[in-house]
Amino acid sequence: MRVLLIGSGGREHALAWKLAQSPRLGALYAAPGNPGIAEHAQLVVLDTADNEAVLAFCKAETIDFVVIGPEAPLVAGLADRLRQGGIAVFGPSAAAAQLEGSKGFTKDICARYDIPTGAYQRFTSAEPAKAYIRREGAPIVIKADGLAAGKGVTVAMTLDEALDAVDSCFAGAFGDAGAEVVVEAYLDGEEASFFCLCDGTSALALASAQDHKRVGDGDTGPNTGGMGAYSPAPVMTPDMVERTMREIIEPTIRGMAESGHPFTGVLFAGLMITAKGPELIEYNVRFGDPECQVLMMRLKSDLLTLLHAAATGTLSSVDAEWRDEVALTVVMASKGYPGAYEKDTPIDSLPPEDANTKIFHAGTAQKDGKLVATGGRVLNVTAMGSSVSAAQQQAYAVLDRVVWDNGFSRRDIGWQAVARERN
Ligand code: AMP
Ligand code: GLY
């Protein structure tokens, strides 16, 4: 199979690394890619926001299958255009991508299919939203409806904080994404990320992971795209996985099919495991970054076969097998991230990898023959171990041998699970 991978982050490096191991792979291209991806794929200069240009490339290079990593091209209808052009695609249509693109859309599906999630209301102006918040009281959660790069959510512990969040949304703090606001009940529990493949009518559970969204140790400081992750998530016991599939994922797949927008691709459920069981916080319509990196380390099955089955409605004929060990990844970011940071700082040396360690590239580039950091999140240092503690120790041992003066990382990825293992 001749495959084109769209994207340039650590998630796509992990996908490229795993796709390259497939016996069914003929050729792998990536656009725009990065220096890590270039070890497994031929990089293509292509404007991935230009759906026609991507289709033209696929025709010219007789591409059989396109794997779309990030959400932006999905929301922009790249999967629709390629399918119209007769090319198999891993990733949902723009209509189905609303599961990530519109929080209100997802909440309405939850209401219609009785999917457990926080009680909510949608608002298009401030005063009714504030009246609702005063009635419900704090803690309460305020969300800009649209895509706001993970920054559109305020978990307000006080009434004043909640009312301020409503004002800032409608004042345009998140641009068009905040033209509508969802106010939602606060859910108390432990968070987990859960991934499954979908082919429009059925779903195949993949694995779980836990992310670390805050920039600082002990989960302090501002939110980021994710500073580290590990898989599996200890809270996702076999019983919780079974309930998540039955109570959350399967009704969503049914609801999307019944609405005329069947979901194909990977469904990433952000869950809160509360005293009542799993409740949905949000959906993403792509692999998590950096969660994908730990999933790919643990996946034993052929990734190309799995993704192609999801894209072609044949998911019931495949299965996913996993290594029992824990995989853990630590994000190295440019100093200053998630605020402003210096670009093109030199990464002088990367340590060697072995069967249980891997450094995925996220925001790197080659400039004048040297590796430099171009992004906020730059490297994902990943290791396998027999426990979270063992994987953590191994990942930091590798990370400490990376020579990059402008880089930093959290030092406590996996801390909750490590504390549990000590008890
Ligand atoms: P989201 O962008 O919807 O994933 O929200 C970002 C973060 O806000 C989540 O990862 C949670 O930590 C938190 N959050 C979102 N919704 C709720 C909720 N209803 N209750 C408690 N925390 C929430
Ligand atoms: N790491 C969280 C995300 O990919 O949305």
Side-chain angles (χ1 to χ4, degrees):
M1 227 181 295
R2 295 171 61 76
V3 180
L4 170 65
L5 171 67
I6 304 286
S8 64
R11 166 182 50 209
E12 287 77 22
H13 186 187
L15 292 172
W17 170 70
K18 197 68 193 160
L19 286 171
Q21 296 169 27
S22 173
R24 295 177 62 193
L25 186 72
L28 182 60
Y29 294 88
N34 69 34
I37 295 171
E39 288 170 22
H40 314 288
Q42 189 175 325
L43 302 194
V44 186
V45 181
L46 193 56
D47 178 3
T48 57
D50 181 345
N51 294 351
E52 297 307 324
V54 178
L55 179 61
F57 172 82
C58 291
K59 295 280 186 201
E61 293 297 330
T62 58
I63 297 294
D64 303 298
F65 185 40
V66 178
V67 176
I68 303 178
E71 65 275 21
L74 296 168
V75 171
L78 179 57
D80 304 74
R81 187 67 193 100
L82 294 172
R83 276 190 204 107
Q84 284 162 7
I87 292 165
V89 187
F90 179 77
S93 65
Q98 284 183 89
L99 277 177
E100 173 162 357
S102 166
K103 295 191 189 295
F105 175 87
T106 298
K107 283 298 206 179
D108 288 350
I109 293 231
C110 289
R112 209 169 320 130
Y113 291 88
D114 213 13
I115 294 169
T117 187
Y120 74 102
Q121 288 217 357
R122 304 170 71 165
F123 298 97
T124 51
S125 63
E127 279 321 310
K130 289 182 178 178
Y132 178 75
I133 289 168
R134 287 196 186 92
R135 262 199 321 277
E136 296 292 316
I140 195 158
V141 181
I142 320 301
K143 300 184 175 184
D145 180 72
L147 285 178
K151 300 189 180 91
V153 175
T154 304
V155 180
M157 299 315 283
T158 67
L159 206 54
D160 282 344
E161 229 184 306
L163 300 174
D164 285 350
V166 170
D167 280 333
S168 80
C169 261
F170 286 117
F174 309 112
D176 289 347
E180 181 172 328
V181 165
V182 173
V183 180
E184 174 181 306
Y186 172 79
L187 299 171
D188 196 17
E190 186 167 344
E191 280 187 75
S193 303
F194 182 69
F195 297 86
C196 50
L197 295 179
C198 308
D199 67 0
T201 53
S202 64
L204 173 69
L206 290 179
S208 62
Q210 254 158 349
D211 190 14
H212 296 65
K213 288 203 164 83
R214 303 296 194 98
V215 74
D217 283 8
D219 294 332
T220 55
N223 266 329
T224 68
M227 294 301 289
Y230 58 94
S231 173
V235 280
M236 291 304 285
T237 57
D239 176 52
M240 282 301 154
V241 169
E242 192 273 323
R243 284 187 60 183
T244 301
M245 290 302 287
R246 182 163 38 88
E247 296 172 19
I248 298 179
I249 304 295
E250 283 161 11
T252 302
I253 298 303
R254 198 164 60 243
M256 294 304 288
E258 284 173 7
S259 71
H261 305 303
F263 186 91
T264 69
V266 58
L267 198 52
F268 162 2
L271 303 174
M272 189 71 86
I273 308 304
T274 71
K276 286 194 285 182
E279 299 200 40
L280 182 70
I281 297 177
E282 65 159 359
Y283 276 131
N284 296 302
V285 298
R286 49 167 178 86
F287 281 107
D289 188 348
E291 291 93 326
C292 184
Q293 290 80 314
V294 285
L295 259 54
M296 291 307 115
M297 290 291 277
R298 290 188 55 227
L299 182 64
K300 287 202 283 193
S301 311
D302 178 27
L303 180 67
L304 182 52
T305 296
L306 291 175
L307 301 188
H308 195 253
T312 53
T314 55
L315 209 47
S316 53
S317 65
V318 297
D319 228 333
E321 282 190 68
W322 302 90
R323 287 172 67 173
D324 290 330
E325 296 102 311
V326 172
L328 182 142
T329 189
V330 182
V331 171
M332 292 189 82
S334 294
K335 284 177 187 162
Y337 175 81
Y341 51 84
E342 200 184 328
K343 290 210 169 145
D344 294 343
T345 58
I347 300 169
D348 292 316
S349 166
L350 295 178
E353 297 166 342
D354 61 34
N356 287 315
T357 60
K358 181 85 199 145
I359 300 177
F360 295 110
H361 291 235
T364 68
Q366 285 285 353
K367 290 234 164 104
D368 305 324
K370 290 203 70 176
L371 188 67
V372 296
T374 52
R377 295 190 296 167
V378 173
L379 297 167
N380 312 136
V381 182
T382 314
M384 303 283 300
S386 55
S387 62
V388 181
S389 318
Q392 184 197 56
Q393 206 173 18
Q394 184 63 31
Y396 282 110
V398 175
L399 184 143
D400 287 336
R401 295 169 63 200
V402 172
V403 184
W404 172 33
D405 287 346
N406 199 48
F408 81 98
S409 74
R410 279 181 62 160
R411 295 298 310 185
D412 66 342
I413 297 305
W415 67 275
Q416 280 173 310
V418 168
R420 247 191 226 147
E421 285 175 359
R422 291 213 175 106
N423 285 329

